[in-house]
Amino acid sequence: MAAPALGSLLLLLLDSRSPSGGHNHSGGMEPAVAAGLVRDLDDVEDFCRGRLRTAGRVAAGFAAASCQLWLDSASSVDPVPNPTSERREEHQIADEWALLDAEFDARNPSEAVRAASRQLGHGLRRLLRATVPDADLSVWEHLPAPAPHHPLVLGAGVALAGGSSETAARAAALASVSVPASAAVRLLGLDPFAVQAMLARLTPSVDECGSMTGLPADAAPWLDLLADHHLTTEVRLFAS
């Protein structure tokens, strides 16, 4: 009976309608539309393919690493149960999370992109606290930033829901294109069915992200520039 419950929880966490804040972000689509770089469905597909190959791959790699780190941390058992050893192990785990968070920070030079990622991470962490109340999320309290990056929280959430690192990578990759695609429907008045069909064409590339190893560093300067410029816009529908 446990497996179906875990599967349902995973679907709940990954649902785009979850109150984790994703609907408030466009993944760079709003500034791209405002700059005239995206005008129609073909442009949206080109944008999403480019985002998947860059920011999407990075997010997928870090979500997978986060999921595996959470699973490894949960399964590690100190063979010598003494308080000093336990504190040292907890400190080591916190350092590993801080390093992973810093690695993601380094791959995103845009202050706006980093801020949006942490906003989304904060929202998803709140969702985890509400849906998995027994989970101990205190490890992130040691991070220097107020909230962990979104891919880290996503990977941990997938692990808590019984998913694998491959599932976490796919979830992050899919979010990297579904968020801007959804925003494009609102911004350009596109046919939502046509946009979903476009996303379906991207699924083979999304699935490929599930088999990645290591932490990619695929740069997306155009996304960084768009994100930073978006902050200077007086009237906008999305936070990023």
Side-chain angles (χ1 to χ4, degrees), residues 26-29 31-32 47-48 50-56 108 110 112-113 176 180 218-230:
S26 75
M29 181 59 72
F47 179 94
C48 289
R51 196 170 196 276
L52 181 59
R53 287 194 299 266
T54 53
N108 291 276
S110 165
V113 171
S176 74
D218 301 273
W222 53 286
L223 285 176
D224 296 330
L225 292 172
L226 286 173
D228 287 338
H229 176 70
H230 187 62

Side-chain angles (χ1 to χ4, degrees), residues 117-183:
S117 177
R118 294 195 184 280
Q119 289 173 9
L120 289 168
H122 175 70
L124 186 54
R125 182 171 58 177
R126 289 186 61 193
L127 180 63
L128 284 175
R129 284 173 173 164
T131 54
V132 195
D134 296 333
D136 182 8
L137 306 179
S138 60
V139 64
W140 291 321
E141 295 175 1
H142 301 283
L143 294 178
H149 282 295
H150 180 260
L152 273 64
V153 186
L154 178 60
V158 171
L160 286 168
S164 65
S165 57
E166 180 179 347
T167 300
R170 289 181 175 180
L174 181 59
S176 74
V177 292
S178 62
V179 168
S182 176

Side-chain angles (χ1 to χ4, degrees), residues 56-107:
R57 279 177 50 84
V58 173
F62 276 82
S66 171
C67 181
Q68 193 59 53
L69 178 57
W70 190 277
L71 293 173
D72 292 344
S73 301
S75 62
S76 62
V77 178
D78 191 348
V80 183
N82 66 77
T84 302
S85 177
E86 184 177 350
R87 283 197 297 271
R88 185 168 59 250
E89 181 177 317
E90 291 178 354
H91 180 71
Q92 181 181 1
I93 292 173
D95 287 346
E96 291 176 353
W97 280 106
L99 177 59
L100 194 62
D101 191 83
E103 289 277 3
F104 189 82
D105 228 27
R107 285 162 171 78

Side-chain angles (χ1 to χ4, degrees), residues 37-45 184 188 190:
L37 300 175
V38 177
R39 299 184 178 88
D40 52 29
L41 183 61
D42 289 338
D43 291 341
V44 172
E45 182 166 353
L188 297 172
L190 299 176

